[in-house]
Amino acid sequence: PLKPITLHSRTLVIDLEKEPDDIFITFHRQNKQKIKRAQREGYQHEVLNSPTPSEISAFIDFFQAFALWKGIALLPENRFKKSAEAGVISITWIRDENQNALCGHAYLHDGNSVSMIHSASHRVGKDSSQRNRIGRANRLLHWENILYYRHIGVKWYDFSGIFIDPLKEQEQNINEFKRSFGGQEVDEVRVFKSHSLKGKIFLLYVRWKWRNKIEYLRALKTAR
């Protein structure tokens, strides 16, 4: 029970060695329209490849406020800060004309690929025009990030997972959003391991928590 945990999952990746036009043409028609409109609206794109402690804290605060409003899991602050200190975290923003953050993404990067691990947007109420504006800004952020990472030589843009359970409507809606950017779906193997007693105890808890997770059951079946 204290051995590493393996998940056999799927993810969606975009090949950044393709030309920008060849990437963009695979996007869903509505995505292309919304990105072009957002470009005309004059938002500002920002990339922080080596975020400072204050920039890291700003993203954490932005995400936690979004998570509480959305009712999703909070960002694990200590793990995020340690990853940033290790130099493997990038943070990107789309800001309005007043430098207000509309959308933010955090990525793990290793030189060859970037994987989006956290995504948050400015909280909006029932105003449909504002929600649509944020939606356009978020799609533009993906596109600007794709262009930027391609420019600096990154080969793969990874959306960090496709949900497998077909019965969870919200998860399938997230899948459809990711698929609207084209790309290709691939299988991946994810291994979680620890070298400390505290970490091994945490793995024991995670193994119990994930005991019915489809990705975990697939890995067990493959191992047999």
Side-chain angles (χ1 to χ4, degrees):
L2 299 180
K3 292 181 178 180
I5 298 174
T6 301
L7 298 183
H8 187 186
S9 54
R10 291 182 66 78
T11 190
L12 188 144
V13 296
I14 294 177
D15 181 357
L16 299 185
E17 293 189 317
K18 294 182 178 180
E19 293 298 319
D21 288 346
D22 293 331
I23 296 173
F24 192 75
I25 201 172
T26 65
F27 289 4
H28 189 279
R29 177 176 57 85
Q30 289 187 352
N31 261 11
K32 291 186 280 190
Q33 293 173 346
K34 291 178 180 180
I35 289 170
K36 289 178 180 178
R37 179 172 174 181
Q39 289 173 327
R40 295 193 297 269
E41 290 171 333
Y43 301 125
Q44 301 174 45
H45 180 231
E46 181 182 17
V47 179
L48 305 172
N49 279 324
S50 300
T52 65
S54 62
E55 291 168 338
I56 295 166
S57 295
F59 181 84
I60 291 174
D61 291 344
F62 185 80
F63 185 92
Q64 305 301 48
F66 170 77
L68 289 172
W69 171 74
K70 193 77 172 177
I72 60 176
L74 295 175
L75 182 152
E77 295 189 23
N78 289 336
R79 187 170 65 192
F80 187 78
K81 288 178 179 179
K82 288 181 179 179
S83 296
E85 291 169 0
V88 295
I89 292 288
S90 295
I91 295 173
T92 66
W93 296 100
I94 282 290
R95 300 184 183 275
D96 65 14
E97 63 277 6
N98 297 316
Q99 289 296 303
N100 297 315
L102 299 181
C103 304
H105 295 171
Y107 295 85
L108 281 175
H109 60 79
D110 63 7
N112 285 325
S113 65
V114 290
S115 300
M116 187 182 70
I117 54 173
H118 298 294
S119 174
S121 301
H122 178 69
R123 292 165 294 161
V124 295
K126 296 181 179 180
D127 186 342
S128 60
S129 63
Q130 181 68 357
R131 290 200 306 270
N132 291 336
R133 180 185 184 224
I134 295 299
R136 293 194 298 273
N138 188 44
R139 286 169 172 79
L140 178 63
L141 181 54
H142 276 291
W143 176 234
E144 291 290 351
N145 290 341
I146 287 169
L147 293 176
Y148 171 80
Y149 288 121
R150 180 187 180 277
H151 176 72
I152 65 173
V154 174
K155 296 180 180 180
W156 297 101
Y157 186 89
D158 188 347
F159 280 88
S160 290
I162 291 292
F163 293 107
I164 296 176
D165 192 342
L167 300 180
K168 296 184 178 180
E169 182 178 356
Q170 184 176 2
E171 293 182 353
Q172 291 305 314
N173 289 339
I174 296 173
N175 285 350
E176 289 308 308
F177 174 80
K178 294 179 179 182
R179 289 167 176 151
S180 70
F181 288 89
Q184 61 193 74
E185 292 186 36
V186 296
D187 287 317
E188 67 173 354
V189 176
R190 303 173 67 188
V191 180
F192 300 82
K193 58 184 178 179
S194 176
H195 303 287
S196 68
L197 178 60
K198 182 178 179 181
K200 291 181 184 300
I201 293 173
F202 179 73
L203 285 185
L204 183 62
Y205 163 73
V206 171
R207 189 183 301 278
W208 173 82
K209 184 178 180 181
W210 287 353
R211 64 192 184 282
N212 294 318
K213 190 178 181 71
I214 293 178
E215 292 88 340
Y216 178 62
L217 297 175
R218 290 178 74 198
L220 290 179
K221 184 177 180 180
T222 301
R224 295 191 187 105

